[in-house]
Amino acid sequence: MNWSLFSEAINGDDIVNQLFPNIPVLIAHVISTIILLIVLWRWVYNPFRRLLHNRHLEIKNKLDDAAIKQALANQDRGNALQMLNNAKVEADGIVNDAKTKAYDERKEIIDQAHEEAMRITNQSKHDIAKQKKAAEKEIKAEIEQISLELAKVILASEINPTKHQKFIDDFIDKI
């Protein structure tokens, strides 16, 4: 192995010179770094920070708008649900009213039909009673007529003047 390479590298002055360059170069590096940082700060960092701030404000505004729109949507939804519930209640009321009216009309029609049926039944009974009386009168008149005719025939054939006088006397005695 070649120890001579190591012996040259281990020299103490070289190491310090290599670690710490000379002061004017160090100052130049520090000043150029500061200038570079100022330039970057001014032309890169500040515009980038403003861009981020503007973007943050834009996002915040959009979130606020979204929250307002969400609140309005929730309010509109609540109003719509309330209107729907009111419509359901109103529809139920209308249906119930219609059922009640239909029931009342049905009852009224049935009552009228019963009254008409009773009137027709009573009229029919009255007419039947009239026709019955008329038929009885007619039958009675016919029976009387037939009886008279029969009595004439019977009397003409069987009664002679003596029997005839006897009937008249019996009739007068009964009275």
Side-chain angles (χ1 to χ4, degrees), residues 41 44-55:
W41 181 270
V44 175
Y45 181 72
N46 277 339
F48 182 72
R49 200 175 82 184
R50 276 191 301 256
L51 179 70
L52 286 179
H53 179 69
N54 290 341
R55 183 69 177 152

Side-chain angles (χ1 to χ4, degrees), residues 125-139:
K125 285 180 181 179
H126 186 299
D127 289 345
I128 289 171
K130 270 185 167 179
Q131 289 176 359
K132 184 179 177 183
K133 283 183 184 180
E136 286 176 357
K137 277 185 180 181
E138 190 178 314
I139 291 172

Side-chain angles (χ1 to χ4, degrees), residues 125-158:
K125 285 180 181 179
H126 186 299
D127 289 345
I128 289 171
K130 270 185 167 179
Q131 289 176 359
K132 184 179 177 183
K133 283 183 184 180
E136 286 176 357
K137 277 185 180 181
E138 190 178 314
I139 291 172
K140 197 175 190 181
E142 267 187 50
I143 290 174
E144 286 177 2
Q145 184 66 31
I146 291 173
S147 296
L148 279 175
E149 290 295 322
L150 184 59
K152 281 183 187 178
V153 170
I154 291 175
L155 285 175
S157 65
E158 291 186 13

Side-chain angles (χ1 to χ4, degrees), residues 46-114:
N46 277 339
F48 182 72
R49 200 175 82 184
R50 276 191 301 256
L51 179 70
L52 286 179
H53 179 69
N54 290 341
R55 183 69 177 152
H56 173 72
L57 290 178
E58 183 180 336
I59 290 172
K60 184 178 182 251
N61 289 338
K62 285 183 181 181
L63 287 175
D64 290 343
D65 287 344
I68 291 170
K69 288 179 182 177
Q70 182 67 35
L72 288 175
N74 288 340
Q75 183 180 5
D76 289 344
R77 182 174 180 247
N79 290 341
L81 288 175
Q82 182 64 32
M83 288 173 54
L84 181 63
N85 289 336
N86 291 343
K88 284 181 181 179
V89 168
E90 187 176 336
D92 288 342
I94 290 170
V95 168
N96 289 335
D97 287 346
K99 284 180 181 179
T100 303
K101 286 181 183 178
Y103 177 77
D104 291 343
E105 288 178 9
R106 179 180 152 250
K107 185 177 178 188
E108 185 178 327
I109 290 170
I110 289 172
D111 290 345
Q112 287 176 354
H114 278 68

